């Protein structure tokens, strides 16, 4: 299978920034995420559109656009150049295994560097995100972190008092291991 025209890591960054923009409560924060996303994509000759009705990020070459910024179907030479990435929902079983392996490696690094209490908290978040959303740690946005902290963690993680007292820090360590900032509710 040939390499995609838009590298996978750029697609993931664009999807993450779109989720963060979608979930942002502040309009300035939303605009900043979208500006960052658009700048990253423009470096690769792509543009994005969030199809809100089914929560899908559509990425396509900027040479498909006319002077007004609309897609001109006569410029589409190969529809396979366009990319659609679901921003929510579940995936296939093979996707789950891939995501679980990725998230587990991040959990292991947190535990190895910061101890078992942070490791247990990181594992709880990885279980929540993988099982409920089939998503990698770095794709989580504010709503998922909030749901984890307010609903899942108190009822399903069975934390000790020490683990409960450091869960915010544990999430920061986990997101740091993934190379991204932790979404706002955990700060």
């Amino acid at each position: 299978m040939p390499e995609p025209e838009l590298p996978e890591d750029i697609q993931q960054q664009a999807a993450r920034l779109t989720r963060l923009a979608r979930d942002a409560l502040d309009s300035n924060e939303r605009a900043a995420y979208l500006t960052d996303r658009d700048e990253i994509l423009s470096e690769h000759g792509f543009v994005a559109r969030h199809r809100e009705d089914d929560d899908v990020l559509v990425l396509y070459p900027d040479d498909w656009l006319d002077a007004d910024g609309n897609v001109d179907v006569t410029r589409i030479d190969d529809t396979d150049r366009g990319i659609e990435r679901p921003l929510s929902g579940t995936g296939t079983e093979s996707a789950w295994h891939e995501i679980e392996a990725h998230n587990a490696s991040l959990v292991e690094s947190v535990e190895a560097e910061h101890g078992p209490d942070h490791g247990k908290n990181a594992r709880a978040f990885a279980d929540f995100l993988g099982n409920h959303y089939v998503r990698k740690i770095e794709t989580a946005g504010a709503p998922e972190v909030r749901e984890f902290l307010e609903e899942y963690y108190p009822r399903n993680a069975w934390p000790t008092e020490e683990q409960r007292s450091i869960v915010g820090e544990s999430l920061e360590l986990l997101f740091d291991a993934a190379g991204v900032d932790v979404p706002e509710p955990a700060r």
Side-chain angles (χ1 to χ4, degrees):
M1 176 178 264
E3 277 292 309
E5 189 174 346
L6 186 63
E8 178 65 26
D9 64 321
I10 300 300
Q11 293 179 41
Q12 287 177 1
Q13 286 180 37
R16 179 174 185 276
L17 289 166
T18 303
R19 278 189 204 94
L20 290 170
R22 175 197 67 194
D23 300 338
L25 299 177
D26 178 78
S27 61
N28 292 326
E29 181 183 6
R30 183 178 303 110
Y33 288 134
L34 293 176
T35 298
D36 289 349
R37 178 199 67 190
D38 294 345
E39 287 174 0
I40 289 167
L41 291 172
S42 71
E43 291 173 12
H44 295 273
F46 271 73
V47 294
R49 180 173 68 88
H50 180 201
R51 201 169 60 214
E52 294 180 16
D53 59 330
D54 59 355
D55 203 22
V56 170
L57 176 64
V58 181
L59 306 168
Y60 47 90
D62 58 10
D63 59 9
W64 288 5
L65 300 177
D66 63 20
D68 295 324
N70 299 311
V71 173
D72 179 349
V73 294
T74 64
R75 294 180 178 205
I76 300 174
D77 55 343
D78 179 4
T79 57
D80 287 341
R81 292 177 67 205
I83 300 162
E84 291 189 358
R85 291 191 69 111
L87 296 175
S88 59
T90 60
T92 64
E93 186 175 337
S94 64
W96 181 88
H97 287 291
E98 176 188 324
I99 289 166
E100 169 55 25
H102 171 81
N103 290 348
S105 70
L106 297 173
V107 169
E108 289 168 13
S109 71
V110 168
E111 185 166 3
E113 290 184 40
H114 304 285
D117 286 333
H118 285 300
K120 186 169 187 305
N121 284 339
R123 179 73 259 171
F125 186 73
D127 287 345
F128 163 74
L129 198 63
N131 293 333
H132 291 270
Y133 293 98
V134 191
R135 290 178 40 193
K136 293 180 179 180
I137 299 299
E138 58 270 26
T139 69
E144 291 82 18
V145 172
R146 190 172 25 259
E147 181 183 353
F148 170 75
L149 290 173
E150 294 173 3
E151 298 175 28
Y152 181 91
Y153 187 76
R155 286 185 264 192
N156 300 298
W158 300 92
T160 64
E161 194 59 44
E162 171 63 19
Q163 291 162 349
R164 191 177 296 114
S165 72
I166 62 170
V167 68
E169 182 183 350
S170 299
L171 291 178
E172 288 182 18
L173 296 170
L174 182 60
F175 278 85
D176 186 55
V180 296
D181 292 331
V182 64
E184 191 61 37
R187 288 186 180 157

